[in-house]
């Protein structure tokens, strides 16, 4: 009798499922059938929580993640690609040099709207709902003011280090965190920030605490005068690498200074920002040819560190910049 009952149970289940199908009902699927089994590499999508962010004196509110984003500078492009946001991007602009190797494939699939900043007409042609760039991107010679873009239904996020008086790595971390929040990829943003912080700590551990930081002159360009970094992210990177920007008292991010002042402050190392023309080699040759600089310590000792300009713009390359500086300033600590 018990045996008959046990055999009857599967039969009843088959009959009930068949009856449900006949009545147009579908038996509920298991999480695995829906592809939501974590072992399949998929997890259920979570709802987007509204995000409110303060940026350049404005309050930005997002009820959903942007779907048609445009990055207006290489360093903002690389932040977005590092967060895996390429499928949310419909355009990029203003590439300074080669894209990071591990991001090239992602970058190649996104339209380049302009070699520098696109015109407003070109930008609107991409039908963006979000743009991300340096403060200069939203000037008259850029794509237009953030207010004008807002009127056209486009939200703009400005890289913090480009509008505050003195950009820092903390500003870079804040940008990455905010982009993560805006696009609903906060976990990726947190992981990227932690990896950058770990790299900074590793480099500083090797450099140690120099009793007297090296005097560093950051040379961008110029002939009659020198165009150099003042209070900027470059100055913080130099400091973290065990140096001291000889023009860290200049109240501008970038400024012109006299060669007489360079001589007076006598740099021990010259940091060469490399981009476009003249080349880094040509800049070094020019500095070595200036009679006024002949007795400068860095010139006499041939101490130059070449740095791609894109490495010191606010983004994921900043730890690479820090490592290059530290190795150039204190090569013996990295053998």
């Amino acid at each position: 009798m018990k045996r008959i009952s046990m055999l009857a149970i599967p039969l009843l289940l088959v009959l009930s499922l068949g009856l449900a199908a006949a009545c147009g009902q579908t038996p509920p699927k298991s999480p695995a059938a829906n592809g939501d089994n974590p072992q399949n590499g998929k997890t259920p999508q979570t709802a987007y929580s509204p995000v409110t962010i303060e940026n350049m004196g404005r309050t930005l509110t997002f009820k959903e993640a942007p779907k048609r984003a445009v990055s207006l500078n290489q360093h903002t492009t690389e932040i977005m690609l590092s967060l895996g946001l390429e499928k949310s991007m419909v355009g990029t602009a203003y590439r300074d040099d080669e894209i990071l190797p591990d991001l090239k494939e992602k970058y190649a699939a996104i339209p380049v709207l302009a070699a520098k900043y696109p015109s407003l007409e070109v930008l609107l042609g991409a039908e963006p709902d979000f743009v991300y760039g340096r403060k200069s991107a939203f000037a008259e010679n850029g794509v237009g003011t953030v207010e004008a873009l807002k009127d056209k239904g486009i939200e703009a996020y400005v890289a913090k280090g480009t509008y505050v008086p003195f950009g820092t790595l903390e500003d870079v971390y804040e940008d990455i965190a905010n982009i993560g929040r805006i696009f609903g990829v906060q976990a990726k943003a947190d992981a990227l920030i932690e990896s950058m912080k770990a790299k900074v700590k590793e480099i500083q551990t090797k450099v140690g605490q120099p009793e007297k930081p090296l005097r560093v002159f950051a040379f961008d360009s110029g002939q009659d005068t020198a165009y150099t970094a003042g209070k900027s992210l470059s100055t913080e990177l130099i400091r973290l690498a065990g140096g001291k920007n000889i023009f860290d008292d200049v109240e501008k991010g970038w400024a012109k200074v006299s060669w007489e002042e360079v001589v007076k402050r006598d740099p021990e190392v010259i940091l060469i920002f490399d981009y476009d023309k003249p080349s880094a080699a040509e800049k070094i040759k020019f500095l070595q040819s200036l009679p006024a600089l002949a007795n400068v310590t860095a010139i006499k000792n041939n101490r130059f560190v070449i740095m791609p300009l894109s490495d010191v713009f606010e983004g994921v390359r900043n730890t690479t910049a820090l490592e290059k500086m530290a190795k150039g300033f204190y090569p013996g600590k990295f053998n």
Side-chain angles (χ1 to χ4, degrees):
M1 190 67 181
K2 290 181 180 178
R3 183 179 179 186
I4 294 174
S5 299
M6 294 299 291
L7 291 172
I9 291 172
L11 179 60
L12 287 173
L13 287 172
V14 170
L15 289 174
S16 63
L17 289 173
L19 181 60
C23 294
Q25 299 176 1
T26 303
K29 293 182 178 180
S30 68
N34 284 321
D36 293 338
N37 189 334
Q39 292 181 353
N40 293 338
K42 298 180 181 179
T43 55
Q45 289 187 348
T46 56
Y48 184 91
S49 299
V51 174
T52 299
I53 287 172
E54 297 298 319
N55 182 248
M56 205 170 75
R58 301 167 300 132
T59 299
L60 312 183
T61 301
F62 300 86
K63 295 182 179 179
E64 61 180 4
K67 296 179 176 62
R68 300 185 62 81
V70 171
S71 56
L72 296 170
N73 297 93
Q74 180 171 337
H75 60 105
T76 64
T77 297
E78 290 181 341
I79 285 177
M80 294 192 71
L81 294 180
S82 295
L83 295 178
L85 298 174
E86 60 276 5
K87 291 184 179 179
S88 299
M89 299 172 68
V90 295
T92 67
Y94 221 131
R95 197 187 80 184
D96 296 294
D97 49 40
E98 290 299 314
I99 294 291
L100 289 171
D102 58 338
L103 301 178
K104 280 187 175 182
E105 186 175 346
K106 295 179 179 181
Y107 178 81
I110 304 170
V112 176
L113 303 185
K116 294 191 180 297
Y117 292 131
S119 66
L120 178 59
E121 182 180 8
V122 170
L123 177 66
L124 294 178
E127 300 181 347
D129 56 3
F130 178 86
V131 290
Y132 174 26
R134 299 177 64 80
K135 182 182 178 181
S136 60
F138 306 102
E140 290 183 3
N141 60 342
V143 299
T145 65
V146 293
E147 293 80 12
L149 292 173
K150 178 72 173 180
D151 290 341
K152 296 184 182 298
I154 305 170
E155 199 64 89
Y157 184 91
V158 186
K160 184 178 180 181
T162 67
Y163 68 80
V164 295
F166 182 12
T168 67
L169 271 180
E170 288 301 321
D171 296 325
V172 177
Y173 300 149
E174 184 177 329
D175 283 342
I176 294 171
N178 284 341
I179 296 300
R181 291 177 60 205
I182 290 169
F183 285 87
V185 291
Q186 186 65 57
K188 288 184 178 180
D190 290 343
L192 177 56
I193 292 167
E194 288 308 309
S195 69
M196 291 178 70
K197 287 182 176 180
K199 188 63 178 179
V200 171
K201 185 177 180 180
E202 176 191 330
I203 294 165
Q204 286 198 288
T205 298
K206 289 184 178 181
V207 171
Q209 295 286 339
E211 184 176 338
K212 192 174 182 181
L214 286 172
R215 299 185 304 276
V216 180
F217 169 45
F219 180 58
D220 178 278
S221 58
Q223 292 190 340
D224 296 332
T225 57
Y227 192 57
T228 189
K231 288 189 174 181
S232 64
L233 177 60
S234 297
T235 292
E236 181 177 47
L237 293 174
I238 290 170
R239 178 183 64 79
L240 292 172
K244 182 185 187 305
N245 180 2
I246 62 173
F247 289 107
D248 61 5
D249 58 334
V250 174
E251 294 295 329
K252 294 181 179 180
W254 300 87
K256 291 181 179 180
V257 297
S258 69
W259 293 115
E260 289 78 11
E261 197 62 32
V262 174
V263 172
K264 179 180 176 181
R265 301 189 184 202
D266 189 28
E268 297 170 278
V269 179
I270 298 178
L271 186 63
I272 304 289
F273 290 129
D274 187 21
Y275 65 99
D276 294 337
K277 294 181 180 181
S279 67
E282 290 170 328
K283 289 179 182 180
I284 291 172
K285 185 177 180 179
F286 166 72
L287 293 174
Q288 290 174 327
S289 72
L290 284 179
L293 301 185
N295 291 319
V296 166
T297 301
I299 297 294
K300 289 193 296 183
N301 295 333
N302 197 32
R303 294 283 313 268
F304 298 95
V305 176
I306 298 174
M307 178 70 54
L309 185 62
S310 58
D311 283 8
V312 297
F313 281 154
E314 297 77 2
V316 297
R317 292 173 179 250
N318 292 157
T319 52
T320 300
L322 179 59
E323 186 169 36
K324 288 177 182 176
M325 288 182 192
K327 287 182 176 180
F329 298 169
Y330 303 100
K333 295 180 180 289
F334 290 84
N335 290 337

